[in-house]
Amino acid sequence: MNDYFKRFNVKSSEFEFLLYWPYGKGLLPNFLRPLSQKVPEISPKPLTVRTLVESAKAGRWLFK
């Protein structure tokens, strides 16, 4: 994504990486983890060509 922001001169301050690539759970399933280490179930938002093109046209990240 850094290459995209530089190449198309898009401001990346509004881009939230974890919305599109959330943390993975790893090998240990949630039911075996202590409460403080449970990983929430988060579905990633789709990152489409349309979102990339529209943000490049605007010069800043448009989607949240």
Side-chain angles (χ1 to χ4, degrees):
M1 287 304 297
N2 287 333
D3 186 42
Y4 162 79
F5 292 124
K6 288 178 188 174
R7 184 172 299 198
F8 297 104
N9 198 23
V10 177
K11 292 180 184 173
S12 64
S13 59
E14 296 293 319
F15 181 74
E16 295 182 37
F17 185 82
L18 293 176
L19 289 177
Y20 302 95
W21 289 279
Y23 289 116
K25 288 187 177 184
L27 297 175
L28 193 61
N30 262 347
F31 70 89
L32 293 176
R33 296 174 188 256
L35 188 59
S36 63
Q37 294 180 352
K38 291 193 185 282
V39 179
E41 292 280 339
I42 299 175
S43 297
K45 284 186 150 187
L47 183 63
T48 64
V49 173
R50 183 182 74 83
T51 60
L52 296 171
V53 169
E54 287 185 17
S55 292
K57 286 180 183 177
R60 62 185 175 85
W61 192 253
L62 298 174
F63 302 92
K64 286 191 177 189

